[in-house]
């Protein structure tokens, strides 16, 4: 029987990670940050609403620190087992045949970290959507069916599947691959009753989007359920979910996962790239889609300056993800006290780094994103403008004053200009960044 991932809270989640006073520094009055002013008096850096929220979130922050320690330990062990050395940072040019072992070491470490048989981590993946597309084409052949078991996919996958537009450019639909989706239940989780009868003999792949995307729903945790179709593979869109829990989907039976390096696993410093990881057979098939049959994982150049950031970013990523989760908790706490609907709810376990806030109007969505842009280290003097972006069905506004263009592991937010006008916040190298940004946001709404 093949595996499908379920979405009840996994028992190793944040909710059961116990604080350890032996290993963690105490968090004392960290919200009362002040700055000297002419040695006469001090001015608070945070608004009172932010200070109060931080004071109440100490237990959650401590639990996240324990999660970071757990995941960092796993990453460190994988680097040691792969015998990562400075010679692996040299990179290569041309075909990549003279590569000094960095590509192989990175793939090996990545596979071990994510509990996979194999992995391919490459700069040649343009985006998470590109990596996911290669993974889907690894599984699917004409006459097969793709079943999305967690509702509609992210906007950028619609054209890949052939739901929106077609134009004969090589979507799954163009290759005779059909598509169905199972709507989420009213509580935002999987509709188990519908899934009981959803799988058909032609269903070759069950697609699970771990994060909420641009949907107002819960992000999904990791647990194993057996399906009734032994030939149905499980593909997880892992974007925004890496290192948010103590386990990853391949550890509980996912056949493939895919994602982007300018999200969680790039640690805010990887400048490009993506990954596919899982069963070796399917990773090789995805690699053949990225390159060509016969080339697979053994070619493709990566300059040394990029290769080093892949290793370093992967090592840093558990810490960066932990800080992003803290930022999300802070956003939820502050914005909910102001009367806004938030998803996830305050203080609940997190399964991705995205925090959604339902603002209710176009004007407030624009104001929120403009405030975030003004509070960014890069291009703070610019005003984000909503518009059509390749791959998206609606106008979208992005506030991303980031060092890596489009990086959502760095502090950023975005949202489609459609009802109910939700902003989706993510990233940040330390929770205090969101503490400062929230002051600008609250003064703007």
């Amino acid at each position: 029987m093949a595996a499908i991932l379920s979405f009840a809270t996994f028992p190793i989640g944040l909710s059961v990670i116990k604080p350890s006073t032996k290993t963690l520094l105490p968090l004392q009055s960290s919200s009362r940050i002040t700055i000297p002013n002419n040695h006469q008096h001090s001015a608070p850096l945070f608004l009172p609403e932010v200070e109060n929220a931080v004071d109440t979130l100490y237990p959650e922050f401590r639990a996240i620190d324990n999660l970071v320690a757990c995941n960092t330990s796993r990453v460190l062990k994988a680097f040691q087992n792969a015998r990562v050395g400075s010679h692996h940072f040299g990179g290569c040019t041309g075909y990549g045949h003279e590569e000094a072992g960095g590509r192989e070491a990175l793939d090996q470490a990545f596979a071990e970290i994510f509990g996979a048989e194999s992995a391919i981590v490459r700069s040649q993946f343009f985006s998470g959507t590109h990596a996911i597309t290669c993974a889907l084409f690894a599984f699917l052949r004409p006459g097969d069916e793709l079943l999305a078991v967690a509702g509609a996919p992210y906007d950028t996958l619609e054209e890949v599947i052939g739901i929106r537009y077609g134009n004969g450019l090589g979507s799954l639909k163009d290759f005779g691959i059909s598509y169905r989706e199972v709507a989420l239940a009213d509580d935002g989780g999987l509709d188990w009753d519908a899934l009981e009868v959803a799988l058909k003999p032609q269903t070759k792949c069950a697609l699970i989007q771990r994060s909420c995307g641009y949907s107002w729903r819960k992000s999904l945790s990791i647990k194993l359920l057996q399906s009734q179709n032994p030939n149905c593979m499980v593909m997880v869109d892992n974007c925004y979910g890496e290192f948010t829990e103590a386990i990853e989907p391949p550890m509980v039976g996912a056949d493939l996962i895919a994602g982007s390096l300018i999200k969680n696993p790039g640690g805010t410093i990887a400048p490009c790239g993506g990954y596919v990881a899982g069963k070796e057979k399917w990773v090789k098939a995805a690699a053949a889609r990225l390159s060509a049959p016969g080339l697979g994982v053994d070619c493709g150049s990566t300059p040394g300056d990029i290769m080093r950031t892949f290793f370093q970013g992967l090592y840093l990523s558990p810490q960066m993800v932990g800080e992003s989760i803290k930022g999300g908790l802070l956003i939820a706490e502050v914005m909910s006290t102001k009367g806004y609907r938030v998803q996830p709810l305050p203080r609940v376990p997190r399964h991705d780094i995205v925090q959604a806030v339902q603002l209710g109007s176009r004007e407030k969505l624009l104001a929120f994103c403009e405030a975030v842009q003004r509070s960014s280290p890069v291009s703070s003097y610019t005003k984000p403008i909503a518009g059509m972006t390749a791959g998206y069905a609606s106008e979208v506004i992005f506030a991303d004053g980031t060092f890596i263009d489009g990086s959502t592991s760095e502090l950023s937010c975005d949202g489609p200009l459609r009802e109910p006008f939700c902003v989706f916040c993510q990233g940040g190298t330390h929770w205090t960044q969101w503490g400062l940004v929230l002051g600008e946001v609250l003064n703007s709404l």
Side-chain angles (χ1 to χ4, degrees), residues 157-192:
L157 283 176
E158 292 179 353
E159 291 183 65
V160 173
I161 295 168
I163 302 170
R164 176 167 50 89
Y165 310 134
N167 302 327
L169 295 179
S171 69
L172 294 176
K173 183 178 180 181
D174 289 339
F175 281 90
I177 297 162
S178 59
Y179 170 79
R180 286 186 299 124
E181 62 187 49
V182 179
L184 293 168
D186 292 339
D187 65 355
L190 284 187
D191 188 337
W192 295 107

Side-chain angles (χ1 to χ4, degrees), residues 20-35:
S20 171
T21 56
K22 295 182 180 179
T23 58
L24 296 178
L25 294 174
L27 296 171
Q28 295 181 352
S29 301
S30 58
S31 69
R32 311 298 178 182
I33 299 175
T34 59
I35 185 168

Side-chain angles (χ1 to χ4, degrees), residues 156-416:
T156 57
L157 283 176
E158 292 179 353
E159 291 183 65
V160 173
I161 295 168
I163 302 170
R164 176 167 50 89
Y165 310 134
N167 302 327
L169 295 179
S171 69
L172 294 176
K173 183 178 180 181
D174 289 339
F175 281 90
I177 297 162
S178 59
Y179 170 79
R180 286 186 299 124
E181 62 187 49
V182 179
L184 293 168
D186 292 339
D187 65 355
L190 284 187
D191 188 337
W192 295 107
D193 293 335
L195 285 175
E196 287 286 335
V197 296
L199 292 176
K200 306 297 182 184
Q202 69 272 24
T203 306
K204 182 65 177 293
C205 176
L207 172 64
I208 300 169
Q209 182 176 291
R210 188 171 173 185
S211 182
C212 61
Y214 277 163
S215 300
W216 186 259
R217 69 159 173 86
K218 301 174 183 176
S219 55
L220 304 175
S221 184
I222 304 166
K223 194 177 176 182
L224 189 64
L225 179 75
Q226 298 299 320
S227 80
Q228 299 302 314
N229 185 347
N231 298 313
C232 182
M233 302 295 105
V234 176
M235 161 63 203
V236 179
D237 171 356
N238 210 32
C239 290
Y240 301 104
E242 301 94 344
F243 300 112
T244 59
E245 299 183 70
I247 59 170
E248 296 292 338
M251 298 177 185
V252 290
D255 295 285
L256 280 182
I257 60 172
S260 168
L261 296 186
I262 62 170
K263 296 183 175 69
N264 300 21
T268 76
I269 63 172
C272 59
Y275 72 90
V276 175
K279 304 289 176 60
E280 184 176 11
K281 171 184 177 180
W282 301 117
V283 171
K284 287 181 176 179
R289 172 71 185 191
L290 173 65
S291 56
L295 298 181
V297 300
D298 297 321
C299 62
S301 62
T302 302
D305 58 335
I306 293 178
M307 184 62 81
R308 179 191 57 77
T309 64
F310 283 179
F311 280 101
Q312 188 175 5
L314 181 58
Y315 179 71
L316 292 174
S317 53
Q319 176 188 342
M320 298 299 104
V321 169
E323 292 303 322
S324 184
I325 295 173
K326 290 178 184 177
L329 287 165
L330 184 58
I331 295 166
E333 193 75 17
V334 171
M335 297 306 291
S336 63
T337 61
K338 291 296 185 179
Y340 293 97
R341 294 183 63 194
V342 297
Q343 185 68 260
L345 297 173
R347 307 191 200 187
V348 302
R350 302 298 166 118
H351 311 301
D352 69 358
I353 65 168
V354 180
Q355 178 62 54
V357 181
Q358 193 173 115
L359 297 169
S361 73
R362 178 187 178 97
E363 292 72 25
K364 287 188 175 182
L365 175 56
L366 296 176
F368 191 108
C369 292
E370 290 169 8
V372 170
Q373 187 71 40
R374 287 196 301 273
S375 304
S376 298
V378 179
S379 299
S380 61
Y381 53 87
T382 64
K383 180 178 179 179
I385 302 296
M388 298 303 299
T389 302
Y392 292 87
S394 306
E395 279 190 299
V396 182
I397 184 168
F398 298 91
D400 53 357
T402 55
F403 293 92
I404 305 298
D405 183 33
S407 170
T408 46
S409 57
E410 299 179 63
L411 188 147
S412 55
C413 72
D414 50 89

Side-chain angles (χ1 to χ4, degrees), residues 79-139:
F79 272 50
Q80 293 168 340
N81 289 342
R83 299 180 64 83
V84 173
S86 58
H87 60 286
H88 289 140
F89 307 154
C92 54
T93 59
Y95 295 118
H97 294 160
E98 300 300 321
E99 207 267 339
R103 190 171 56 211
E104 181 180 353
L106 181 61
D107 289 349
Q108 178 186 334
F110 201 97
E112 180 179 335
I113 290 165
F114 285 83
E117 292 179 5
S118 179
I120 175 171
V121 186
R122 295 292 183 273
S123 61
Q124 286 81 10
F125 284 117
F126 299 159
S127 64
T129 298
H130 186 197
I132 294 162
T133 300
C134 290
L136 291 175
F137 274 97
F139 289 135

